[in-house]
C-alpha cells in the first residue's frame, strides 16, 4: 500500500460559517464571530487547516529529548477551527450569541405575548 503525504492547502476550510467536514462542529453563522483562515505559527506549522500532520510539527519530529511545553500556548490553537468548539459549553456559548429565530419581529426585551393565551 502506497502512503500519501498530507500537504498544506490554501483552500478555505469553512463553508457558510461552519466546518462541514467535522460532523460535530457548530455553526458560527449569526453569532458575530467570523471564521478565520489558517495561520502559520513560529514553528512553521499551519494551524487551522484541518490537516493534522505537518512536517515541521514537533509531534512529527518527537524524540525523548523533546520538551512537551514547545506545543503549549495560543500559537497552537486556532480561534475558530479548534476541537474545543465541539464541547457542549462552547456550543452553548455560540448559541447564546445567536439572535432568536423570531428576530427581527419581536421586542428585544418584552414578551408582548405573555398572558395572551
Amino acid at each position: 500500500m502506497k502512503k500519501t503525504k498530507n500537504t498544506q492547502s490554501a483552500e478555505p476550510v469553512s463553508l457558510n460559517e461552519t466546518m462541514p467536514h467535522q460532523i460535530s462542529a457548530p455553526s458560527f453563522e449569526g453569532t458575530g464571530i467570523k471564521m478565520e483562515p489558517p495561520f502559520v505559527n513560529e514553528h512553521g506549522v499551519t494551524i487551522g487547516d484541518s490537516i493534522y500532520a505537518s512536517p515541521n510539527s514537533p509531534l512529527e519530529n518527537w524524540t525523548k529529548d523533546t520538551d512537551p511545553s514547545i506545543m503549549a500556548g495560543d500559537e497552537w490553537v486556532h480561534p475558530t477551527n479548534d476541537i474545543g468548539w465541539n464541547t457542549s459549553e462552547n456550543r452553548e456559548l455560540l448559541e447564546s450569541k445567536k439572535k432568536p429565530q423570531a428576530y427581527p419581529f419581536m421586542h428585544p426585551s418584552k414578551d408582548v405575548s405573555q398572558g395572551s393565551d
Side-chain angles (χ1 to χ4, degrees):
M1 179 179 197
K2 188 176 181 183
K3 219 177 186 182
T4 59
K5 187 176 182 180
N6 284 336
T7 57
Q8 303 296 332
S9 172
E11 296 295 317
V13 293
S14 65
L15 176 68
N16 296 329
E17 303 299 323
T18 190
M19 303 298 236
H21 61 284
Q22 294 180 16
I23 195 150
S24 298
S27 171
F28 288 83
E29 189 172 26
T31 64
I33 299 172
K34 295 294 177 201
M35 297 295 293
E36 293 190 28
F39 65 89
V40 177
N41 71 11
E42 69 180 57
H43 300 282
V45 177
T46 302
I47 306 296
D49 65 351
S50 296
I51 298 174
Y52 302 106
S54 172
N56 297 330
S57 173
L59 286 177
E60 303 299 320
N61 301 291
W62 204 267
T63 70
K64 65 182 178 81
D65 299 321
T66 304
D67 180 2
S69 68
I70 193 171
M71 293 191 69
D74 291 341
E75 68 177 316
W76 294 99
V77 180
H78 192 272
T80 53
N81 186 9
D82 183 77
I83 196 75
W85 284 111
N86 295 355
T87 65
S88 58
E89 297 85 0
N90 285 334
R91 291 176 73 86
E92 286 174 18
L93 174 69
L94 286 180
E95 290 299 319
S96 72
K97 292 180 176 287
K98 293 181 180 180
K99 292 187 168 132
Q101 285 187 323
Y103 177 85
F105 302 107
M106 62 182 285
H107 192 279
S109 63
K110 307 285 185 228
D111 181 359
V112 296
S113 66
Q114 184 175 1
S116 63
D117 48 342

